[in-house]
Amino acid sequence: HAIAVPGVGICLPERLPDGWLVRPSGWRTTLRAVLRGSVLEVDAEGEPWRVVLSPRHADVVRHLAAAGAGGMTAAQLSRAMFGDDAHEVTARAEVSRLRRAIGSLIVTGPYRVAEGVELRVAATSQE
């Protein structure tokens, strides 16, 4: 359900494990995100936040970042993660769980990084 936030306008709240992601309904703000190892750090031109992902969820984020705007189907994600497309149901379930952790930073149809999110995968956890 949309909510009105004074000074911002109509926003869409999304429940995350440790709080809420509240974004303007038009969401034209660029979110900058960096995945360092299993830690996803997000800066939305304000208060940055971070979430520790499971190794598998971090792997999903890496694959989707590499796929670019075209994204990946469940079969493609299964091949990338498991070497075959026999694990499509598992790939779908992992994306569903990942979205509960990071909200709509990842979108579906096909699976991809959301428009307006600049996601960088750091080569090492020190970057």
Side-chain angles (χ1 to χ4, degrees), residues 35-39 41 122-127:
L35 180 66
R36 291 183 172 89
S38 290
V39 178
E41 299 173 349
T124 66
S125 60
Q126 303 304 313
E127 275 186 55

Side-chain angles (χ1 to χ4, degrees), residues 66-110:
M72 303 176 91
T73 64
Q76 291 169 323
L77 186 56
S78 175
R79 281 192 296 277
M81 293 177 66
F82 305 106
D84 59 44
D85 56 0
H87 296 87
E88 286 184 54
V89 172
T90 303
R92 285 187 186 105
E94 291 300 338
V95 172
S96 178
R97 287 185 203 96
L98 174 62
R99 286 174 45 92
R100 280 194 293 259
I102 65 172
S104 62
L105 300 181
I106 301 295
V107 296
T108 61

Side-chain angles (χ1 to χ4, degrees), residues 37-57:
S38 290
V39 178
L40 182 66
E41 299 173 349
V42 181
D43 183 1
E45 298 178 1
E47 185 80 18
W49 55 277
R50 58 190 288 173
V51 61
V52 178
L53 303 175
S54 71
R56 185 170 282 177
H57 287 166

